DNA sequence: TCAGTGACTGACC
DNA sequence: GGGTCAGCCACTG
């Protein structure tokens, strides 16, 4: 399941859970960190499957430009944005403002 | 087994 | 600056 870091999904969950409060990362960054940069879609798919696991802050994972591409997968139409704003992240029109400022790179900040 | 699909990304035009 | 295409891989019917 989510805690099993032996498979790709498990690794994705493990990384996403390490994202600090008030920070965000991208699908590509996670994929690259896991050694599968070309498999960013799998990260997104993992998020799709992670909605059953509340411990996975999927709202902190956005695409490479900071756009909340997965907002429609959250219950409300703006739940994802509200969650980010509640963490002090500026979000405008479903897009993170100063994305680079809040960006958290697992390859640099994390060390598996 | 095969084909379609997707919460992505980079390259090209 | 924005639209399109191909590559990537797991899941579903």
């Amino acid at each position: 399941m989510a805690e099993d870091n032996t498979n790709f999904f498990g690794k994705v969950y493990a990384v996403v859970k390490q994202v600090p409060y008030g920070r965000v990362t991208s699908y590509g960054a996670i994929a690259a960190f896991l050694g599968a940069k070309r498999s960013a879609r799998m990260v997104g798919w993992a998020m799709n499957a992670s909605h059953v696991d509340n411990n996975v802050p999927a709202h902190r994972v956005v695409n490479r430009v900071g756009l909340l591409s997965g907002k429609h997968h959250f219950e409300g139409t703006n739940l994802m944005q509200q969650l980010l704003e509640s963490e002090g992240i500026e979000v405008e029109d479903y897009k993170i403002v100063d994305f680079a400022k809040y960006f958290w790179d697992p390859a640099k900040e994390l060390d598996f």
Side-chain angles (χ1 to χ4, degrees), chain A residues 24-93:
Chain A
V24 294
T25 190
S26 71
Y27 302 97
I30 296 172
F33 176 68
L34 297 179
K37 188 178 181 182
R38 295 293 185 185
S39 301
R41 284 187 163 181
M42 292 304 92
V43 178
W45 195 251
M47 292 298 97
N48 181 37
S50 77
H51 75 90
V52 297
D53 190 337
N54 297 323
N55 294 321
V56 178
H59 61 279
R60 293 186 189 145
V61 184
V62 295
N63 69 6
R64 69 180 181 89
V65 297
L67 189 65
L68 311 191
S69 50
K71 65 185 179 185
H72 282 299
H73 289 262
F74 282 78
E75 295 182 15
T77 54
N78 62 342
L79 175 61
M80 189 174 185
Q81 177 173 335
Q82 290 185 4
L83 286 172
L84 291 171
E85 289 181 330
S86 68
E87 297 189 359
I89 299 174
E90 299 177 61
V91 180
E92 184 175 311
D93 193 27

Side-chain angles (χ1 to χ4, degrees), chain A residues 1-7 9-11 13-14 17 53 55-56:
Chain A
M1 283 297 283
E3 305 298 336
D4 185 4
N5 65 348
T6 59
N7 50 56
F9 279 30
K11 289 178 182 177
Y13 298 148
K17 287 179 182 179
D53 190 337
N55 294 321
V56 178

